[in-house]
Amino acid sequence: MWKGLFLSCFIYITLSPAFATDYQSHIDSVLHATYNACGKINQELKILKTMAGINTAVTATGTVSSGIALGTGIKKASIDVKAEKIEAELQNEIQKLNQLAITQTHIDILPEFEPDNSDKNINTAQKSINDKQTELDELTKKSKTLGNIRTGTLAGTAVTDIAGTIIATQNKIDDDLQSKINECVSSVNNLSNAYMQLRISEPQNPQLPYIQNIIRECEPWATVDLSKINKNANNSAVSSGIGAAMSIAGTITSASANSDQIRNNNSQSGKSKEKKLNTASNVMAGGAAAASGIATIFNATQISTIKQAMQIAEKCEQAMNK
């Protein structure tokens, strides 16, 4: 009895002209709220995507420059080893020349010594010394140039990684955008409820397909995990920060290793210090390259996540604009 009475009342109310007018107004209101909530999200996502793309290029540049620094440092180390060998040979040649000079002096002073090929040997030794000195000078100059390149590229990496850290720190889903997305999800839920009521009360209503399409294209907002965007941004910022720190330290170390004060110290301790500084510079260049590369991966992953959200936003907006 009560069920029949309730059904009769429901049919009477839903079919009455006054109810239809009021409900149409309700539908229009819910649709308008959905337009306002979901209509401008894509524009803000485009900004995030653009910044993530810029940061990917920035950190990729840092990866390349630090890689150049590492490669240059390794080449410099190879040249330094060769220069050290040439320098040892040069010292031996100088000692030989000194011995030949002493022998020649004895011949000049003591006539009973028969002349030998001392003059020829001295000339040969002197030529060998000159040749090795020239080679050593060239290697030293090349080593100095490579050291400067390593220092410069490490400094460039520091600049790009600092920029990458700043961009990554700021390129996130902020509270305002998250609030808009939450509001969009809520408005789509309201629209879905209104749609079900409209199907019951006006199954032939021409707006039904239009509303259904909006719900279908906008509902996926509820399943998007936007926390990945911020997580990748945080990881990128950390990696870029590490790369920046290693690049700055490497720049200072490389500049010190390549300074005239260190290079011109030919003592055993001086040479040992130069080797340690060059090795440390190369290690830091390698570390900066790795950190910048990881930051680039996080930035690329962030772009991928943003693109997924943008696809939903675009389809949602297209559905509302039909």
Side-chain angles (χ1 to χ4, degrees), residues 126-138:
Q126 186 63 60
K127 185 179 184 304
S128 178
I129 289 172
N130 292 341
D131 290 343
K132 290 187 181 300
Q133 185 63 59
T134 299
E135 185 177 4
L136 180 60
D137 290 342
E138 290 177 353

Side-chain angles (χ1 to χ4, degrees), residues 80-96 128-129 132-133 136 139 266 268 271:
D80 287 343
V81 169
K82 188 175 181 180
E84 189 175 359
K85 181 181 178 182
I86 296 296
E87 187 174 9
E89 292 175 357
L90 178 61
Q91 293 302 319
N92 288 333
E93 291 292 339
I94 290 174
Q95 289 180 4
K96 288 180 182 179
S128 178
I129 289 172
K132 290 187 181 300
Q133 185 63 59
L136 180 60
L139 291 172
N266 292 320
Q268 195 64 35
K271 290 183 177 298

Side-chain angles (χ1 to χ4, degrees), residues 158-271:
V159 172
T160 56
D161 280 348
I162 289 172
T165 303
I166 294 171
I167 294 172
T169 301
Q170 297 177 349
N171 199 44
K172 298 179 182 179
I173 300 288
D174 58 18
D175 292 340
D176 181 57
L177 180 54
Q178 185 63 63
S179 177
K180 289 179 181 178
I181 294 170
N182 293 341
E183 188 178 347
C184 174
V185 172
S186 177
S187 67
V188 173
N189 287 336
N190 292 336
L191 183 61
S192 181
N193 293 332
Y195 169 77
M196 295 303 295
Q197 294 175 12
L198 185 62
R199 279 186 62 186
I200 295 171
S201 62
E202 299 182 43
Q204 302 302 322
N205 190 302
Q207 281 188 301
L208 284 173
Y210 171 66
I211 296 173
Q212 185 182 30
N213 189 46
I214 291 175
I215 294 169
R216 182 174 57 250
E217 299 297 352
C218 297
E219 267 187 337
W221 271 123
T223 63
V224 176
D225 184 8
L226 295 174
S227 65
K228 292 180 180 179
I229 294 175
N230 289 359
K231 184 178 180 181
N232 283 311
N234 290 334
N235 289 335
S236 175
V238 170
S239 297
S240 293
I242 293 172
M246 298 197 78
S247 298
I248 291 170
T251 300
I252 295 171
T253 305
S254 180
S256 177
N258 212 42
S259 66
D260 291 337
Q261 181 180 359
I262 296 295
R263 292 178 63 87
N264 293 336
N265 187 345
N266 292 320
S267 66
Q268 195 64 35
S269 62
K271 290 183 177 298

Side-chain angles (χ1 to χ4, degrees), residues 301-316:
T301 304
Q302 186 188 37
I303 290 175
S304 177
T305 306
I306 294 172
K307 281 183 177 179
Q308 292 174 7
M310 285 181 65
Q311 288 176 356
I312 295 173
E314 288 170 358
K315 289 181 179 180
C316 180

